[in-house]
Amino acid sequence: MAAAVPIVVTRPDGQAGGLIAELSARGFPVRHHPLINIVPLADDEQAVASGLRQRILDIDHYTAVIAISMNAAAIGLDWLDRYWPQPPLGIHWCAVGPSTAEVLQREGFSVHSPVTTYDSEGLLELPVMQSDVIAGRKVLLWRGVGGREKLASELTARGAEVDYAELYERREIAWSAQQWADTLAGEPVLLLSSNQALDIVEQQVPDLAQRVSAIMLPGERLADLARSRGYREVLVAASARDEDMLACLQQWQVSAQ
């Protein structure tokens, strides 16, 4: 029975509880094995030196603010609350995917977000990201330290002036070989939310593809990457939202019976 196969959730502490509870309620045996810690950057002298604080203070100068992840949205809102008791008007608030959009929407923001392709490429298709809207205008990206440059490069090519507000660090958790052996016992299904997550696991477990029954990733771009690396079965969730991960697992469970 597919339901007997363990499910490994790799989200950070504090972001996995809802999904774990839903999986458990549906009869899936679940293991939590976080891959990174999310560490918000402090509002200190370094934030002044890097320009982070000033970009938040000047947020009303931007035509669009783009949250790259749920973490970026949540931490960006904390910064916004600190310096803007009332959010400025006239900004296009954008999110790369629905989970990120929901963080902003819960605070009352109207959000532009891709409908089907939940990545930088999908976001670049939005009407508010086209040259006639952003050429000669300023765009602020809320993100973690580092990350893909494609979005900023394309927006710059469309005539926008792009700044970063790097709000947090991702600190990889180093697990021992024995800890991984315990987590991967029984060839589980591994749930991942990004190519960075896949890279982290593969660096720590070089033979990962031979030690899991399946791997789940949100979106075809990441799924194609996993297929190219030799995974036996790649499950494609519509997004990293709990409901989409659960729907994908349940569909797999039915097909495996």
Side-chain angles (χ1 to χ4, degrees), residues 25-175:
R26 287 163 171 77
F28 291 100
V30 187
R31 301 167 185 167
H32 185 211
H33 196 105
L35 301 176
I36 59 173
N37 289 320
I38 300 298
V39 182
L41 297 185
D43 188 1
D44 56 12
E45 292 183 1
Q46 180 57 36
V48 175
S50 69
L52 172 57
R53 184 186 296 172
Q54 194 61 49
R55 290 188 180 107
I56 300 298
L57 288 168
D58 292 342
I59 205 165
D60 57 333
H61 296 180
Y62 292 92
T63 293
V65 174
I66 303 171
I68 299 300
S69 66
M70 293 175 62
N71 295 309
I75 298 169
L77 288 172
D78 288 342
W79 278 84
L80 196 65
D81 287 344
R82 196 173 304 148
Y83 292 105
W84 289 88
Q86 294 294 326
L89 301 176
I91 295 174
H92 296 299
W93 297 93
C94 305
V96 170
S99 298
T100 303
E102 287 171 3
V103 176
L104 298 169
Q105 289 165 343
R106 284 197 295 267
E107 299 302 317
F109 290 89
S110 177
V111 183
H112 304 274
S113 181
V115 176
T116 55
T117 306
Y118 306 133
D119 55 21
S120 297
E121 289 78 3
L123 191 138
L124 287 166
E125 296 296 321
L126 295 175
V128 295
M129 293 289 100
Q130 304 311 305
S131 298
D132 59 339
V133 177
I134 63 169
R137 305 294 182 87
K138 299 184 70 175
V139 176
L140 183 64
L141 303 187
W142 285 359
R143 71 173 194 174
V145 175
R148 296 177 73 202
E149 302 298 329
K150 177 180 176 58
L151 181 57
S153 297
E154 180 58 33
L155 292 174
T156 299
R158 295 179 185 185
E161 179 184 342
V162 181
D163 290 326
Y164 290 123
E166 294 190 318
L167 300 164
Y168 61 93
E169 293 180 325
R170 308 171 191 85
R171 296 183 183 172
E172 180 179 337
I173 301 172
W175 296 97

